[in-house]
Amino acid sequence: MSYLAPFAPGGEASIDAVTCERLLSIALSKGGDYADLFFEYSRGAGFAYDEGILKSASRSVSLGLGVRVQKGEATGFAFVQELTWDAMKAAAETAAQIASEGGHDQGIALASRELPKRYELDAFSLAAPSADKRGLLERAAAAAQAFDSKIIRAEASFAEGVREILIATSDGKLCFDVQPMIRFGVLATAEDGTKRQSGSSGGGGRMSMGYFDAFSPEWHAEEAARRAIVMLDAQEAPAGKLPVVLAPGDSGILLHEAVGHGLEADSNRKGTSRYTGQIGEKVASPICTVVDDATFVQGRGSINVDDEGNEPERAVLIEGGKLVGYMHDRMSARHFKRRSTGNGRRQSY
């Protein structure tokens, strides 16, 4: 099966299993322990509406291959934006230089993996006319300003993208996934005398334009405006150490920044996390359980496969206040002698 060839017109190579096997063999030719190929083709667009006009509209396209080779704790990496055989071969040879002795003397046999289908869509938002997206922004801005006379400004934004990835690993995995994403947001500013506050509302996920059937631009606009109005009478929080109460579910930045990053296993492997060496110890209230779960259907953080070719799992991190696990990629899982939780993530190829 050929995967990315349609996206490289005029290219010399068709990206199929045989091509990947040849590249992986070259990547391991200097004695690396492990190698992987990460092909990525991304398309995106963004729109911003403010002060009654469409302030910006953008489109982006990205295509390339990243080659990674690991030898012990060391990693060799190279990338190319041209998917010709010569360019890809040169990248594999460059990444291979992390090792300098031995070599891979066995053929690599890749097996295509059947993945879950958590975000299959009839159509991507990118295919919808740009005028439709502008219309959503105009509706949101109008609804926010109509909510209350104290609303003096309304901004709205829409971002969308589709990411196609092909992953081949020297331990035999071959995975292909298409990952859509949309994000819609409204920011309302309220003013009353000398007081000025803002409120926001937004949402999205791996969805089509059908998202707006359930959460219309007007719904988000009114919620943003309501929050801005409420904030006009908000009292300053006192300084000092205070308890924080989070609702069940996705608790956003507080959980992500204060706790989530510290539970990434690579920071614990390096000893830079406050949770290092605390597995089995109490780290939170006994009513607190924290779970990382990428298996929800069409969720913003849902994936069928991570960027190392591993399927994600529901990883319990804190249970009843006790630290029970970390989020693992391949390298940290090997270090801690655990199975990867499917948390290998790349910013891009």
Side-chain angles (χ1 to χ4, degrees):
M1 177 181 290
S2 177
Y3 292 95
L4 295 180
F7 310 130
E12 299 172 12
S14 175
I15 312 304
D16 54 18
V18 174
T19 301
C20 292
E21 289 167 355
R22 293 174 64 193
L23 289 170
L24 287 169
S25 293
I26 294 169
L28 293 177
S29 62
K30 298 291 184 180
D33 302 325
Y34 167 86
D36 58 29
L37 312 175
F38 185 79
F39 295 89
E40 181 182 36
Y41 173 50
S42 297
R43 293 150 287 165
F47 305 85
Y49 190 88
D50 186 20
E51 298 180 326
I53 62 172
L54 186 67
K55 278 288 185 75
S56 67
S58 62
R59 283 268 185 175
S60 64
V61 176
S62 176
L63 173 69
L65 160 68
V67 183
R68 180 176 64 159
V69 178
Q70 293 178 334
K71 179 70 173 179
E73 294 291 306
T75 298
F77 180 78
F79 72 92
V80 290
Q81 295 173 298
E82 181 184 357
L83 300 188
T84 63
W85 171 254
D86 288 343
M88 295 187 297
K89 178 174 177 286
E93 291 171 339
T94 300
Q97 299 302 315
I98 196 67
S100 59
E101 58 184 32
H104 189 78
D105 56 3
Q106 296 181 350
I108 295 172
L110 295 173
S112 182
R113 301 181 66 183
E114 187 71 25
L115 300 178
K117 295 178 173 58
R118 299 187 173 109
Y119 32 80
E120 278 196 316
L121 303 176
D122 293 333
F124 297 133
S125 65
L126 280 168
S130 296
D132 292 355
K133 297 153 193 174
R134 174 176 178 154
L136 295 172
L137 302 178
E138 291 173 341
R139 286 167 55 187
Q145 294 195 302
F147 183 83
D148 192 290
S149 61
K150 295 186 180 70
I151 299 297
I152 61 169
R153 184 173 183 177
E155 305 168 51
S157 63
F158 182 78
E160 58 185 338
V162 178
R163 180 180 185 242
E164 300 184 32
I165 58 173
L166 173 64
I167 305 160
T169 69
S170 60
D171 54 8
K173 294 192 286 283
L174 184 64
C175 308
F176 178 70
D177 197 27
V178 181
Q179 302 172 343
M181 182 69 76
I182 65 168
R183 171 71 181 173
F184 185 81
V186 182
L187 177 66
T189 302
E191 187 175 81
D192 186 10
T194 61
K195 296 186 293 185
R196 178 178 289 193
Q197 292 287 350
S198 62
S200 63
S201 178
R206 301 198 184 280
M207 304 176 183
S208 67
M209 297 293 282
Y211 166 79
F212 297 101
D213 295 339
F215 297 97
S216 68
E218 290 79 10
W219 186 91
H220 281 298
E222 291 170 5
E223 180 64 12
R226 182 192 67 79
R227 293 178 181 181
I229 297 298
V230 168
M231 286 297 294
L232 287 172
D233 296 320
Q235 302 297 311
E236 291 288 341
K241 185 175 180 180
L242 300 168
V244 176
V245 179
L246 305 178
D250 180 1
S251 295
I253 289 177
L254 280 173
L255 181 62
H256 174 88
E257 300 294 350
V259 180
H261 284 300
L263 295 178
E264 295 167 357
D266 53 356
S267 62
N268 288 277
R269 176 174 63 88
K270 298 170 185 175
T272 58
S273 169
R274 67 185 302 272
Y275 297 106
T276 300
Q278 294 190 48
I279 293 290
E281 296 184 14
K282 180 182 177 181
V283 296
S285 161
I287 65 171
C288 178
T289 293
V290 176
V291 177
D292 178 69
D293 192 350
T295 66
F296 291 102
V297 174
Q298 294 186 334
R300 188 165 183 260
S302 301
I303 52 173
N304 293 325
V305 64
D306 77 353
D307 292 342
E308 295 181 313
N310 295 309
E311 287 188 33
E313 61 182 43
R314 183 181 185 275
V316 180
L317 307 173
I318 297 174
E319 186 170 25
K322 183 184 295 184
L323 180 64
V324 296
Y326 300 130
M327 293 176 283
H328 288 283
D329 61 7
R330 181 185 180 277
M331 183 172 282
S332 68
R334 183 180 62 180
H335 174 83
F336 286 103
K337 296 180 173 58
R338 295 286 189 272
R339 186 177 71 254
S340 171
T341 53
N343 285 99
R345 180 179 180 273
R346 307 179 198 235
Q347 186 68 27
S348 75
Y349 68 87

